[in-house]
């Protein structure tokens, strides 16, 4: 005991250094998963208690509907059709339950709701960030202003392409346009460029407006400071984009999330020509060619 | 026993409180690190078990307990969800902070405890900022934000002083067995002996 008392501080400091070294070499994901399982639940409970106490419980239905409408609005904003042919997004509403100091926040939806890493997060004002990792009931979001974030972006008017990075100490973003002679002026709106397969960023989410154009020290890129639409210090209800809402698989994944989603997806299935959707659409008709169980049952009943 | 319960509470609750409540407040300048404040406030009150005999051993054991509290709380803050920095960064800083605090502030007046708490809070915040900039590429301006450091230092001094001045019926933990019989007796000059121990 006496020896342990003398050695303990040095030993613990050594363990800390070993942890730092290990996490630098190979990320200690199991430890983070453990942390998000234990502390995510506690944060969720604390936040839910605060919300219940302030009587916001009955707003949840409205919040859910609001989220869905917001996703529809976002999809409707898209002027250029994307290769994914999605006419809507599957989304999950989430509350912000924790603010970190590494340019990250915690939201109260996780892999149980289908949230996975590299999914877009936005709120009523504009882009918030992307999912960094997800635990069972919570997920960590990297904000657009984090020092490590970089987002493909374009000017909404001229469609010039660039890259948005965080300037964390000032709460601003820096836009670097690839075309050094591109015209950019304060007040221009900046939206996301969109990524392959919609991950991590879906296209045309508003990011912010150009605040000042920086004088170019070199002629390789054109840089400007962007004031984000989202108020990162006062985030509350956000929306996570789970994926495009197009085929039958998507409906299965989001089954039980409200009748509207299913109805929209049925409409899609009628128009679609791929195999799964056709099978779904044919099954209720009970065609003679289908050898499915439901078809034979219907035949017996008749 | 009470100290153990408080330590577990600090390790479980302080990171949640930090993330879910404190960081969401709109304070001018920045946000205090209440995990660090809790470690600094509680570390001097951890008592070694009754088997630690003489004065040097008691001090060492107390330092060990403080270091362990700091390590556990720091590791908790490292892995509590929104955190996205190198695991072990806060554990290292808070382990050292808990150790120094337990050694230096255990036997002293409220003023001395507050001073030690302030110095340790400042040192730990600066060390944590340097580590953040070196390990995780946090910009220096954000890593060494003076507003957050000022909040942390002020709160640590305040809480440490309040802990030392609070009306006390009996200290945390068990009384040492050798003095257990004389607890409450006003003739024994060591009845409130943990100030002198």
């Amino acid at each position: 005991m006496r020896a342990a008392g003398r050695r303990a501080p040095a030993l613990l400091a050594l363990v800390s250094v070993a942890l730092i070294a290990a996490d630098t070499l190979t990320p200690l994901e199991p430890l983070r998963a453990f942390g998000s399982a234990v502390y995510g639940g506690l944060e969720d409970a604390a936040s839910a208690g605060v919300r219940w106490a302030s009587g916001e419980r009955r707003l949840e239905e409205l919040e859910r509907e609001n989220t869905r409408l917001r996703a529809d609005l976002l999809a409707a904003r898209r002027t250029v059709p994307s290769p994914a042919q999605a006419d809507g997004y599957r989304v999950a509403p989430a509350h912000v339950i924790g603010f970190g100091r590494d340019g990250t926040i915690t939201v109260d939806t996780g892999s149980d709701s289908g949230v996975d890493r590299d999914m877009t997060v936005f709120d009523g004002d504009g882009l918030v960030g992307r999912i960094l990792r997800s635990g069972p009931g919570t997920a960590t979001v990297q904000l657009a202003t984090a020092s490590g974030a970089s987002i493909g972006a374009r000017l909404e008017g001229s469609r010039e392409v660039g890259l948005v990075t965080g300037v964390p100490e000032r709460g601003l973003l820096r836009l670097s346009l690839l075309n050094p002679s591109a015209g950019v002026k304060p007040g221009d709106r900046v939206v996301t460029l969109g990524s392959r397969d919609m991950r991590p960023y879906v296209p045309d989410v508003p990011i912010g407006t150009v605040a000042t154009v920086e004088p170019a020290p070199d002629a390789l890129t054109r840089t400007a400071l962007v004031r984000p639409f989202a108020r990162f210090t006062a985030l509350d209800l956000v929306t996570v984009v789970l994926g495009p809402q197009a085929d039958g698989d998507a409906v299965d994944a989001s089954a039980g999330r409200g009748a509207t989603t299913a109805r929209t997806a049925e409409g899609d299935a009628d128009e679609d020509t791929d195999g799964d959707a056709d099978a779904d659409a044919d099954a209720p008709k009970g065609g003679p060619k289908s050898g499915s169980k439901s078809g034979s049952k219907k035949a017996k009943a008749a | 026993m009470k100290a153990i319960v408080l330590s577990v509470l600090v390790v479980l609750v302080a990171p949640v409180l930090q993330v879910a409540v404190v960081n969401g407040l709109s304070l001018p300048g920045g946000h205090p690190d209440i995990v660090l404040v809790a470690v600094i406030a509680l570390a001097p009150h951890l008592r070694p078990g009754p088997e630690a005999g003489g004065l040097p051993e008691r001090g060492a054991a107390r330092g060990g307990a403080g270091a362990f509290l700091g390590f556990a709380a720091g590791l908790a803050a490292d892995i509590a969800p929104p955190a996205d920095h190198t695991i072990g960064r806060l554990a290292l800083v808070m382990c050292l902070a808990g150790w120094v605090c337990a050694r230096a502030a255990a036997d002293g007046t409220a003023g001395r405890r507050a001073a030690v708490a302030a110095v340790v809070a400042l040192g730990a915040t600066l060390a944590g900022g340097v580590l953040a900039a070196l390990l995780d590429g946090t910009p220096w301006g954000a890593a060494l934000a003076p507003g957050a450091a000022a909040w942390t230092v002020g709160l640590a001094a305040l809480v440490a002083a309040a802990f030392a001045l609070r009306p006390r019926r009996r200290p945390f933990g068990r009384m040492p067995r050798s003095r257990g019989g004389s607890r409450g007796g006003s003739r024994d000059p060591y009845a409130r002996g943990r100030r002198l121990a």
Side-chain angles (χ1 to χ4, degrees):
Chain A
M1 175 63 201
R2 294 177 192 185
R6 285 192 179 284
R7 285 185 202 147
L11 205 65
L12 291 171
L14 271 181
V15 170
S16 305
V17 173
L19 278 174
I20 291 175
D23 196 34
T24 308
L25 293 176
T26 160
L28 298 171
E29 285 305 326
L31 208 50
R32 290 190 196 278
F34 172 76
S36 83
V38 173
Y39 289 97
L42 285 174
E43 285 169 25
D44 207 2
S47 175
V50 170
R51 274 205 310 282
W52 178 79
S54 60
E56 282 186 30
R57 204 67 182 168
R58 58 216 153 101
L59 288 180
E60 277 198 4
E61 282 303 310
L62 289 173
E63 285 174 348
R64 203 159 288 143
E65 185 184 6
N66 192 19
T67 305
R68 190 174 49 72
L69 292 174
R70 199 181 289 157
D72 290 351
L73 187 68
L74 179 68
R77 283 175 45 84
R78 296 192 8 219
T79 50
V80 184
S82 84
Q85 295 287 329
D87 58 349
Y89 296 120
R90 289 182 303 122
V91 294
H95 283 102
V96 176
I97 57 172
F99 292 86
R101 277 170 297 174
D102 310 313
T104 48
I105 56 172
T106 314
V107 296
D108 66 348
T109 180
S111 46
D112 292 348
S113 316
V115 172
D116 199 1
R117 56 173 302 171
D118 286 340
M119 286 175 166
T120 311
V121 182
F122 66 99
D123 73 351
D125 299 320
L127 182 74
V128 171
R130 70 181 174 98
I131 301 284
L132 204 58
R133 67 178 64 86
S134 65
T138 59
T140 301
V141 179
Q142 182 188 48
L143 299 177
T145 45
S147 58
S150 69
I151 306 161
R154 61 163 88 232
L155 290 174
E156 196 175 46
S158 63
R159 311 304 289 172
E160 286 286 350
V161 175
L163 197 68
V164 164
T165 49
V167 189
E169 58 264 52
R170 296 175 60 186
L172 294 175
L173 302 163
R174 177 170 284 119
L175 169 70
S176 309
L177 290 168
L178 296 185
N179 178 2
S181 59
V184 55
K185 59 182 187 304
D188 283 355
R189 283 167 62 93
V190 181
V191 299
T192 53
L193 178 64
S195 323
R196 186 186 159 85
D197 294 333
M198 309 257 160
R199 290 169 77 169
Y201 296 106
V202 298
D204 289 313
V205 183
I207 298 176
T209 54
V210 173
T212 52
V213 180
E214 294 185 326
D218 52 5
L220 290 177
T221 57
R222 195 80 195 274
T223 61
L225 287 178
V226 174
R227 185 171 304 284
F229 288 127
R231 294 180 300 141
F232 291 104
T233 51
L235 293 170
D236 184 19
L237 189 73
V238 298
T239 304
V240 184
V241 178
L242 300 177
Q245 185 187 80
D247 51 0
D249 296 343
V251 181
D252 288 344
S254 65
R257 253 191 354 98
T260 320
T261 310
R263 200 172 61 233
T264 319
E266 271 175 26
D268 292 347
D270 287 341
E271 293 163 10
D272 266 354
T273 51
D274 57 339
D276 289 359
D278 266 359
D280 286 350
D282 283 348
K285 293 171 191 166
K289 272 182 269 181
S290 75
S292 67
K293 279 182 191 171
S294 65
S296 54
K297 271 180 194 168
K298 271 181 188 171
K300 277 181 190 172
Chain B
M1 195 59 206
K2 200 172 168 189
I4 294 175
V5 170
L6 266 179
S7 302
V8 171
L9 267 183
V10 163
V11 170
L12 277 181
V13 172
V16 174
L17 216 60
Q18 172 84 52
V19 155
V21 179
V22 175
N23 287 348
L25 302 174
S26 53
L27 301 173
H31 301 104
D33 185 344
I34 62 161
V35 182
L36 182 62
V37 169
V39 167
I40 287 175
L42 191 57
H45 297 270
L46 298 175
R47 293 177 64 89
E51 65 267 23
L55 285 181
E57 284 82 2
R58 293 175 59 80
R62 188 184 278 146
F68 190 77
L69 169 68
F71 176 79
L75 189 61
D78 273 329
I79 62 172
D84 185 42
H85 55 253
T86 313
I87 291 179
R89 198 182 88 191
L90 293 174
L92 177 61
V93 169
M94 291 194 193
C95 167
L96 295 179
W99 177 64
V100 171
C101 238
R103 290 304 300 263
D107 315 306
T109 61
R112 178 181 152 88
R113 286 190 186 196
V116 168
V119 169
V120 171
L122 184 65
T125 309
L126 292 182
V130 169
L131 276 183
L134 293 181
L135 288 173
D136 295 304
T138 311
W140 286 96
L144 299 176
W151 274 109
T152 307
V153 170
L155 204 60
L158 210 67
V159 173
F163 249 74
L165 287 175
R166 80 199 188 284
R168 179 187 343 215
R169 283 183 298 279
R170 50 173 297 196
F172 286 130
R174 241 191 309 254
M175 296 291 287
R177 217 156 270 167
S178 57
R179 295 170 193 149
S182 62
R183 193 195 318 148
S186 56
R187 279 164 296 168
D188 189 345
Y190 296 106
R192 291 163 58 93
R194 61 186 302 283
R195 289 292 185 84
L196 299 162

